[in-house]
Amino acid sequence: DSQVKGYEERQKQEKQTKISEYWCSVDHPEWLYIDMIHNNKWLNVSVSMKSIQEEIDSRLEQIESDLVTLANLPEFGFEATEVYKRTLDLAKAISEGQKLAEMAKRKAEAERLKAEREAEQARLAAEAEAQKQEETITAHVNVNVQTPDGKEYPMGTVDVEIPAKQWVSFKALLTVDQAQELKR
């Protein structure tokens, strides 16, 4: 039994060596290794070397065709190709490319909406500032200086911008006649 198993193991190793030699003789992408497409059935005695070579050639043609398909994707072809190199699954690679494209579209839409919001906020702020400036008036204020002995000396006038409407409170020391005059 051990001799039979040893013989079968030697045959499998010899077949694996022949498969590796054939792999080295064919043109294949540098990132693709035999382990990525290897089929354990190839080591069976019932599988001929010719059928193994045909399967390898067929698989390489399919991979080349898939790479061309991925290279022709309008968006994210590179990223999809990288997924394909890891998985050798065309559907998964295309799905990943579509997912990235959709994500990029959502990101662009979010950025557009953000820019619109910021523009609207800037417009509203500018309108508020313009309205605020329209609601101001310029007042000419006489400036007087009072000395400790109660005498007032005029210093000139100053232009002051104040809002058109604003609550103003002040305190004044007036006689009744002066208050009535101020009311008028």
Side-chain angles (χ1 to χ4, degrees):
D1 186 46
S2 63
Q3 286 178 338
V4 169
K5 286 183 181 181
Y7 175 74
E8 288 175 355
E9 188 61 35
R10 279 192 307 277
Q11 279 188 321
K12 285 182 180 183
Q13 287 177 351
E14 287 174 12
K15 197 165 206 180
Q16 182 62 48
T17 303
K18 288 179 183 178
I19 293 170
S20 296
E21 288 172 357
Y22 181 73
W23 178 255
C24 291
S25 71
V26 297
D27 187 27
H28 61 280
E30 72 240 10
W31 54 267
L32 184 63
Y33 300 103
I34 186 67
D35 297 345
M36 297 171 77
I37 64 167
H38 191 273
N39 187 342
N40 285 333
K41 293 179 188 176
W42 293 349
L43 300 179
N44 292 343
V45 176
S46 61
V47 179
S48 71
M49 198 58 202
K50 182 179 178 181
S51 66
I52 295 170
Q53 292 171 349
E54 288 173 358
E55 191 172 336
I56 290 173
D57 293 343
S58 171
R59 191 74 170 112
L60 287 174
E61 286 176 19
Q62 182 62 46
I63 289 170
E64 186 63 34
S65 172
D66 292 349
L67 289 174
V68 169
T69 300
L70 293 172
N72 291 328
L73 287 177
E75 297 177 313
F76 298 101
F78 175 80
E79 290 84 353
T81 301
E82 291 302 308
V83 171
Y84 183 78
K85 286 178 180 180
R86 287 192 315 271
T87 63
L88 295 181
D89 185 348
L90 181 63
K92 187 173 186 176
I94 290 174
S95 173
E96 184 68 21
Q98 289 172 339
K99 186 169 89 174
L100 290 172
E102 181 62 32
M103 198 179 311
K105 287 177 188 175
R106 286 195 315 260
K107 181 180 178 184
E109 180 65 16
E111 288 174 352
R112 184 187 64 78
L113 291 174
K114 181 181 175 188
E116 285 178 3
R117 281 194 304 270
E118 289 173 353
E120 182 65 16
Q121 289 174 347
R123 186 186 64 78
L124 291 174
E127 286 178 3
E129 183 63 31
Q131 186 177 9
K132 183 178 177 183
Q133 289 177 355
E134 290 174 2
E135 294 177 354
T136 61
I137 58 172
T138 303
H140 303 290
V141 179
N142 292 325
V143 180
N144 298 327
V145 175
Q146 188 175 13
T147 60
D149 61 358
K151 294 183 182 178
E152 286 191 18
Y153 297 98
M155 295 299 290
T157 61
V158 175
D159 290 339
V160 178
E161 287 190 10
I162 57 173
K165 291 183 180 180
Q166 154 180 339
W167 288 100
V168 177
S169 62
F170 63 92
K171 202 169 156 180
L173 180 60
L174 304 171
T175 64
V176 173
D177 291 335
Q178 290 173 332
Q180 288 174 349
E181 185 67 28
L182 178 61
K183 181 180 176 185
R184 274 191 297 258

